[in-house]
Amino acid sequence: MKHLLISGAGISGLTLACLASRVGIQCTIVERNSLGKMGSGIGGGLGLWPASMAVIASISASAVQEVQARGSWMPNAGYYDREGRKLAGPSSRFSSRFPVLCLDRASLLDILQKYATIIEDGKASVAILENTTIGSLTTSSTGITVTLSTGEIITANLLVACDGIHSTLRPSSIKPKHLGYTYFRANVPLSSTSQWHSKSFESWGQSSTTHTQPLRFGFVPLKNPTGFWFLAVPTTPPSPIKPSGIHASIITESKKKVLLDMVSGWKGPDSDVELMKTLIETAPQILQTDIYKIPNVNAFSWHTYGGRVILLGDSAHATAPNIAQGAGLCIEDASVLVYLLEKLPKDWALVSDNDWKEMSQVYEKMRKTRARVVQGMADFIATVGQVGGVLGWTRNFVMRLSGRLMPRLQAWIFERVVGYSLGGDSKRWYWAPPATKHRGYCILEEVLGKEKVDMLAPHVKEFKTCAGIPRYGTGIVTVERSANWVGKVLGNLMGLPTAMKTETFKARVSALDPAHFTQKWTRVFGFGKPGLQKSYSTTHCVMRDGFLVERVGGILDRVVQLVYTIQIQDNGKRLVFNSCGIRLLQWYLPSRIISSDWVETATDSGWLFDGTISLFGIGKLMRYFGHFEVSPRSVLTQPKNHAIVSGGTGMIGTAVVNSLLLRGWAVTVLTRQSPIKVTHPNPNVEFLKWDAKTGNGWSTAIQSNSVLLNLAGSSVADSLWWTEKVKNQVLESRINAIHAMRDAVAQASARGISPKGFVQASAAGVAGDSGHLVVEDDFEFVHVDSVSRVSNFRPSTCKKIEEAAVESFFDLIPVSVVRIGHVLSHEGGLLPYLRFAAFAGVSKIGTGHQFVPWIHIDDAANGFCTVMENPNKFSGKINLVGPTVATNQQVLKSCRGLGLIRVPEAVFRGALGESSCVILDSERLVPSRLLQSGFHFDYKTVDEAINSF
Ligand SMILES: Cc1cc2nc3c(=O)[nH]c(=O)nc-3n(C[C@H](O)[C@H](O)[C@H](O)COP(=O)(O)OP(=O)(O)OC[C@H]3O[C@@H](n4cnc5c(N)ncnc54)[C@H](O)[C@@H]3O)c2cc1C
Ligand SMILES: *[C@@H]1O[C@H](CO)[C@@H](O)[C@H](O)[C@H]1NC(C)=O
């Protein structure tokens, strides 16, 4: 069982419990206060930025609706002086770019408490123990044991300190630091006619009583009919520090009078002379909180007891409230921690002490910078906003002048700074929570909101969400191109395909980076038609709320981006994308110089599409339309098959893992790296550490529906020069990996579990230099002493690997040995070298007549999946190469160089030595078994394969 103990039922603790329980982790929260009292004392307003809203959305869609229903969107805020004159402010678009939901803390706590205790399908339970604290704690290799103030003893895997700024679990040497000011704040009723329902501001100026004391007064409307205001006043630190949570006290009527005097004569924006006075006078109760932060968040570690106790929320990084992001940070922390907890092996009994420690270190690393930035910005606002005297006057003068002379620049700087404080980067405005099991990964959802995306047809939604697995589809397309020469040139720079009529079409979408919502679309126009085939790739990301950004592809890809608005029409049947501007490098130009309009209409199994890219003054650059079929469907079912893949993080391994996921498998990837450092956005993948020599520590992952795939081992491609050391390493690492697999299967069978099969990767190099001889699946050399003119290393090594695999498993489970050809991919392997050679003008190497056993990476991945899906049928040896043969000369020709130079064999051999056999040997493998079984190759010729990249 997975058990999380949480100290503190504040925003941090409750968010963590909501998220963790939804991925099956049982939670116990220990709260010192009574729940009924929660939020009352420290009440007041709270701002939630989009990152926090995204985390709340991952709890449940209805949780977001409830939060929205009880909050109110913050209107564009600006900074003013005490005369009501504007100092700085954002552009009018600001609030659509940076939507902030304001609500009172009690409402948020209410909602979180409710969702922590609702039991849904597959959700673990949350117990909240009120009026309780943690007495003592001890750790052991099995977890953490605490004694509560009630005397009860609880054991858990991990203890998370969500007990706020005065955490008792944080090392006592780290003390909150008083920041030199205090906040007075209140919720006030607004009259229904008040214009302040739709305004917010912060005013900076000197106190009317002392004339030197710099003050900040801020206001935001909450849910009608209330508003929230605060007044920041410099003060000397009280002693002693109040010992619990965020402390707030209610001020007396006489103190209220003092506040009124401080701001007497101040004007609100629009020269509203009565505003501050009214807001203070009508407050039913005013709270006071001294402002502290936890200093040096970078310097101390956020975990203790070997990673079994973790600080989360204010306990780690309490910050001044000046940019309304303190609670946001807590909510973000919780989503990161749960994301990392999900990356641990499914069975927490397998998680070692070291893994806990590493997990906690990664958590800390992922959060520290962001926390420090927020703290820094919050302090900066106080520093700038709370200067008095000449400095304050100068500040106001400079800000007003720049606002008047360069309002755009000022607004731009303002937005940059806000974007920065929100953890944004050049791709997006805000930090975004990592994908978790509970939260797919959907750009459309980011842009349109979940409710709207839910209107889409299920197959459209599923495809576009692509939850960490690349998705494919095929269709028919017609391309029309501009007849104008300017249009042609520009279109070619963008890499647009040539004109074609009702030709085949293939598209693939993949999530590049789960944390940043980037999707890459690759479309192969004229798919499978040599000469016509052309691939066109663009990258999508979310730039700001409500906008999608697409890089245009081709040479201009990094330079020009189209910015789209998206609409859903016709009850979710139609998706309409209209570009509303372009981004040139980093600058946004709201113009339609280059524009793109795109409509998708859902059909039963895909959608009809029609899009046009046009240029002002020239007209259409390209229009393409047709229909698109989503396939394969329904990957989000409960996995029935389970794969254990070693070497799953390499080029081929990654592709195989993705294909398995697409086919609905659950995958355990064995890696020698620390599991927690390698991550995958798809929840059906888990990473386990192995030593590549034994089954220790991971054999328990074997189930009766498992198939083991061994891709591990050092590769000949890792080194151009084959020294004896390199060669030994290649053989030894592969043999060791086979023995580790054998060991694990033996351990599993001792438990009475027998997996479905074992698949070992071998290579086409097993054929040696076999000239025109057709090499069938069952081909085998009896002796490999002189089968290649250059080197016998590959055939002899492959033979040894194949024999070791068969010997190790034939008496236990079905064994397949897959002889894989040169895998064509733009991410590695031989293709980049070949392309370089062709680019340099090479037409052939050696005679050019030697056969090259090629295979497209997609087909290679599917080939492995097919074998793994039918371990009995495919036991024995399998050739995994393309369905047609190609010679070295043909391959280089497909790489489209000038083809002038012939590199003689002797020269090539002289340069590379033994490893030149990879290029010089002729290996004419044919995939007879796969073809006979009806396996479908997506890429039938080497030309199609090479030109799909
Ligand atoms: C004046 C002010 C205004 C703010 N405005 C904003 C804003 O606009 N936007 C925003 O995002 N953030 C804002 N913040 C920050 C935000 O309130 C905090 O960051 C957030 O509440 C921290 O949540 P937490 O759960 O980590 O800690 P807390 O809210 O402090 O919760 C800690 C919980 O642990 C309990 N506890 C304490 N000690 C123990 C113990 N030993 N055993 C068991 N339980 C214990 C406490 O009773 C409490 O329930 C503001 C803060 C202040 C002071
Ligand atoms: C906690 O204390 C409050 C009063 O302080 C009380 O009303 C409540 O019942 C207590 N809860 C429990 C579970 O004892």
Side-chain angles (χ1 to χ4, degrees):
M1 193 186 68
K2 305 174 179 184
H3 187 195
L4 212 58
L5 181 62
I6 300 169
S7 149
I11 293 169
S12 305
L14 289 171
T15 309
L16 180 62
C18 285
L19 292 171
S21 60
R22 278 171 176 74
V23 297
I25 301 170
Q26 191 126 353
C27 301
T28 304
I29 310 184
V30 176
E31 166 59 47
R32 86 149 79 217
N33 280 329
S34 88
L35 288 181
K37 250 183 74 189
M38 299 289 302
S40 55
I42 45 178
L46 200 74
L48 294 178
W49 297 76
S52 321
M53 293 299 282
V55 176
I56 293 171
S58 71
I59 297 173
S60 122
S62 55
V64 176
Q65 284 160 6
E66 282 182 48
V67 169
Q68 285 178 359
R70 289 170 76 167
S72 137
W73 294 105
M74 185 162 105
N76 253 1
Y79 291 98
Y80 293 80
D81 67 9
R82 50 172 286 177
E83 302 299 327
R85 290 176 300 203
K86 191 165 184 174
L87 298 175
S91 70
S92 55
R93 299 183 303 261
F94 186 80
S95 53
S96 67
R97 288 184 191 178
F98 299 102
V100 183
L101 191 78
C102 299
L103 79 170
D104 59 303
R105 176 193 298 267
S107 296
L108 181 61
L109 286 172
D110 254 11
I111 295 168
L112 290 173
Q113 229 176 71
K114 172 175 152 192
Y115 281 88
T117 43
I118 291 178
I119 301 273
E120 293 160 5
D121 271 1
K123 178 180 171 291
S125 65
V126 176
I128 307 183
L129 311 174
E130 53 180 342
N131 309 336
T132 312
T133 55
I134 288 171
S136 63
L137 65 94
T138 54
T139 50
S140 69
S141 60
T142 54
I144 189 146
T145 307
V146 300
T147 310
L148 302 181
S149 55
T150 53
E152 197 183 337
I153 293 173
I154 292 191
T155 60
N157 302 89
L158 189 71
L159 166 60
V160 188
C162 298
D163 51 353
I165 186 164
H166 300 289
S167 171
T168 52
L169 293 165
R170 189 180 52 220
S172 57
S173 58
I174 300 144
K175 294 202 168 60
K177 177 177 171 224
H178 189 268
L179 291 173
Y181 49 99
T182 187
Y183 257 59
F184 295 92
R185 59 212 159 85
N187 290 358
V188 288
L190 291 180
S191 78
S192 58
T193 54
S194 168
Q195 53 155 324
W196 296 101
H197 284 304
S198 56
K199 297 202 173 167
S200 65
F201 66 90
E202 189 165 321
S203 289
W204 295 345
Q206 286 166 31
S207 160
S208 301
T209 31
T210 62
H211 301 290
T212 52
Q213 214 176 15
L215 309 177
R216 289 183 298 127
F217 185 95
F219 171 83
V220 289
L222 298 180
K223 188 82 193 162
N224 284 341
T226 50
F228 167 78
W229 62 259
F230 71 83
L231 180 62
V233 180
T235 176
T236 44
S239 58
I241 290 176
K242 294 285 191 303
S244 71
I246 298 172
H247 182 82
S249 46
I250 300 170
I251 68 167
T252 57
E253 279 301 310
S254 57
K255 193 81 177 262
K256 191 165 170 177
K257 182 86 188 38
V258 176
L259 296 189
L260 275 170
D261 289 343
M262 282 181 177
V263 296
S264 84
W266 281 40
K267 291 180 191 148
D270 305 337
S271 304
D272 190 332
V273 276
E274 292 291 312
L275 182 64
M276 275 79 169
K277 184 163 166 258
T278 318
L279 287 174
I280 295 176
E281 265 175 353
T282 54
Q285 81 175 19
I286 299 175
L287 298 170
Q288 181 184 356
T289 305
D290 281 314
I291 302 302
Y292 293 86
K293 73 168 183 179
I294 301 292
N296 301 325
V297 292
N298 253 352
F300 61 95
S301 62
W302 293 7
H303 64 93
T304 48
Y305 294 94
R308 296 283 187 167
V309 178
I310 287 184
L311 303 180
L312 189 148
D314 270 18
S315 64
H317 49 60
T319 175
N322 309 332
I323 53 171
Q325 287 201 40
L329 280 183
C330 303
I331 293 172
E332 295 170 23
D333 282 357
S335 85
V336 170
L337 183 62
V338 172
Y339 163 76
L340 292 172
L341 290 174
E342 270 199 277
K343 296 288 160 210
L344 293 170
K346 296 214 164 68
D347 180 359
W348 278 10
L350 291 179
V351 184
S352 69
D353 280 354
N354 220 7
D355 292 338
W356 284 114
K357 197 161 150 200
E358 245 167 42
M359 194 273 310
S360 56
Q361 282 166 348
V362 175
Y363 155 77
E364 199 176 303
K365 193 156 165 262
M366 284 174 75
R367 297 304 300 157
K368 267 187 174 171
T369 318
R370 175 122 181 72
R372 203 194 51 200
V373 168
V374 169
Q375 280 198 342
M377 290 298 301
D379 292 344
F380 174 76
I381 295 286
T383 311
V384 177
Q386 292 171 196
V387 294
V390 179
L391 271 180
W393 185 88
T394 316
R395 172 201 68 203
N396 290 3
F397 179 76
V398 171
M399 285 177 78
R400 273 175 53 208
L401 194 69
S402 68
R404 199 162 298 165
L405 297 181
M406 297 164 286
R408 287 216 166 181
L409 180 68
Q410 202 201 43
W412 184 83
I413 294 173
F414 194 93
E415 289 174 19
R416 284 284 128 170
V417 171
V418 173
Y420 179 68
S421 82
L422 290 169
D425 54 31
S426 60
K427 291 207 190 72
R428 40 179 302 118
W429 289 109
Y430 343 101
W431 178 90
T436 63
K437 184 175 259 166
H438 224 70
R439 174 194 153 97
Y441 166 75
C442 183
I443 282 195
L444 280 184
E445 220 166 78
E446 269 282 285
V447 177
L448 290 166
K450 194 167 174 355
E451 304 91 89
K452 284 205 179 142
V453 171
D454 281 341
M455 291 166 62
L456 296 174
H459 62 278
V460 175
K461 187 181 153 195
E462 195 182 300
F463 191 88
K464 303 231 170 194
T465 303
C466 89
I469 325 169
R471 306 296 313 268
Y472 298 81
T474 52
I476 301 291
V477 67
T478 296
V479 178
E480 297 170 358
R481 286 283 302 269
S482 167
N484 182 299
W485 72 267
V486 181
K488 268 188 203 151
V489 170
L490 194 71
N492 290 345
L493 287 177
M494 288 167 68
L496 301 180
T498 52
M500 60 185 75
K501 205 162 176 212
T502 52
E503 290 294 349
T504 46
F505 171 79
K506 180 174 177 178
R508 167 187 148 112
V509 58
S510 58
L512 286 186
D513 174 357
H516 285 95
F517 293 90
T518 316
Q519 287 185 340
K520 180 168 180 148
W521 285 83
T522 300
R523 310 152 185 94
V524 186
F525 289 88
F527 169 64
K529 298 281 168 76
L532 199 62
Q533 182 171 306
K534 171 90 174 113
S535 93
Y536 177 60
S537 297
T538 59
T539 313
H540 283 178
C541 65
V542 179
M543 188 55 219
R544 48 188 65 138
D545 216 57
F547 296 97
L548 177 97
V549 174
E550 180 185 55
R551 301 216 302 242
V552 298
I555 299 171
L556 297 177
D557 191 51
R558 302 236 157 217
V559 183
V560 187
Q561 305 174 346
L562 292 162
V563 181
Y564 290 90
T565 57
I566 309 178
Q567 286 171 309
I568 289 189
Q569 296 176 346
D570 223 359
N571 288 328
K573 242 185 129 14
R574 258 148 62 93
L575 266 174
V576 181
F577 299 72
N578 292 111
S579 72
C580 54
I582 57 172
R583 256 169 61 102
L584 203 64
L585 298 169
Q586 291 301 311
W587 294 284
Y588 173 66
L589 309 173
S591 79
R592 285 181 54 100
I593 298 173
I594 295 186
S595 60
S596 169
D597 300 286
W598 180 259
V599 181
E600 285 172 8
T601 313
T603 59
D604 286 348
S605 54
W607 55 80
L608 298 171
F609 59 88
D610 189 350
T612 306
I613 305 177
S614 37
L615 182 69
F616 178 77
I618 301 292
K620 171 180 80 183
L621 296 180
M622 170 170 87
R623 172 173 174 220
Y624 66 114
F625 56 92
H627 71 82
F628 180 71
E629 300 286 315
V630 164
S631 69
R633 298 184 64 174
S634 182
V635 294
L636 298 176
T637 47
Q638 200 61 27
K640 282 192 240 25
N641 291 318
H642 173 236
I644 298 182
V645 182
S646 70
T649 50
M651 176 182 84
I652 300 175
T654 308
V656 175
V657 168
N658 283 334
S659 283
L660 288 168
L661 292 169
L662 200 56
R663 290 163 177 249
W665 286 58
V667 183
T668 300
V669 176
L670 301 177
T671 165
R672 279 182 308 163
Q673 303 169 38
S674 295
I676 208 74
K677 286 189 193 133
V678 273
T679 57
H680 196 287
N682 190 283
N684 290 333
V685 187
E686 72 168 345
F687 290 91
L688 277 184
K689 199 142 72 175
W690 76 326
D691 58 7
K693 290 185 185 118
T694 64
N696 298 346
W698 64 273
S699 70
T700 43
I702 297 177
Q703 300 155 23
S704 54
N705 65 344
S706 302
V707 176
L708 292 88
L709 169 62
N710 187 21
L711 297 171
S714 108
S715 156
V716 288
D718 292 346
S719 166
L720 278 183
W721 285 274
W722 295 355
T723 59
E724 283 310 307
K725 194 169 155 225
V726 168
K727 291 201 279 188
N728 284 337
Q729 178 74 31
V730 170
L731 182 61
E732 206 181 294
S733 61
R734 289 183 184 261
I735 299 287
N736 281 344
I738 292 170
H739 289 160
M741 292 254 163
R742 151 94 206 184
D743 182 30
V745 171
Q747 287 186 25
S749 75
R751 285 184 289 123
I753 291 172
S754 175
K756 281 163 72 178
F758 173 74
V759 179
Q760 170 65 39
S762 179
V766 75
D769 186 18
S770 45
H772 282 267
L773 177 76
V774 173
V775 177
E776 293 282 357
D777 301 83
D778 56 4
F779 170 90
E780 200 159 350
F781 281 116
V782 183
H783 301 290
V784 285
D785 296 340
S786 56
V787 296
S788 163
R789 281 157 303 144
V790 188
S791 164
N792 291 326
F793 171 65
R794 286 192 312 147
S796 68
T797 307
C798 289
K799 193 168 154 70
K800 283 177 196 153
I801 290 167
E802 294 186 358
E803 281 168 3
V806 174
E807 268 165 30
S808 299
F809 288 95
F810 79 97
D811 56 339
L812 292 173
I813 48 175
V815 195
S816 310
V817 171
V818 176
R819 294 160 163 179
I820 184 161
H822 296 310
V823 176
L824 302 178
S825 156
H826 50 176
E827 274 149 36
L830 210 52
L831 186 59
Y833 294 102
L834 290 171
R835 279 200 156 148
F836 178 76
F839 175 75
V842 173
S843 63
K844 50 181 157 178
I845 299 171
T847 63
H849 297 310
Q850 69 273 38
F851 288 96
V852 180
W854 63 275
I855 179 135
H856 189 284
I857 181 91
D858 292 355
D859 286 335
N862 280 326
F864 270 111
C865 294
T866 302
V867 170
M868 293 171 76
E869 272 163 4
N870 306 284
N872 280 309
K873 179 171 161 190
F874 285 112
S875 69
K877 288 159 191 160
I878 315 280
N879 288 352
L880 184 54
V881 293
T884 57
V885 292
T887 63
N888 172 277
Q889 197 171 1
Q890 285 163 344
V891 171
L892 283 164
K893 195 168 164 218
S894 294
C895 292
R896 311 252 154 95
L898 281 177
L900 300 172
I901 307 164
R902 191 196 138 199
V903 180
E905 179 173 328
V907 172
F908 192 71
R909 226 164 118 170
L912 284 184
E914 217 177 329
S915 70
S916 61
C917 68
V918 174
I919 298 292
L920 295 174
D921 283 357
S922 179
E923 294 151 0
R924 187 177 182 177
L925 279 79
V926 289
S928 300
R929 285 186 73 185
L930 279 172
L931 285 170
Q932 277 154 20
S933 77
F935 179 77
H936 173 84
F937 285 90
D938 271 355
Y939 298 89
K940 299 196 171 56
T941 66
V942 79
D943 195 71
E944 286 168 37
I946 288 178
N947 291 299
S948 72
F949 297 112

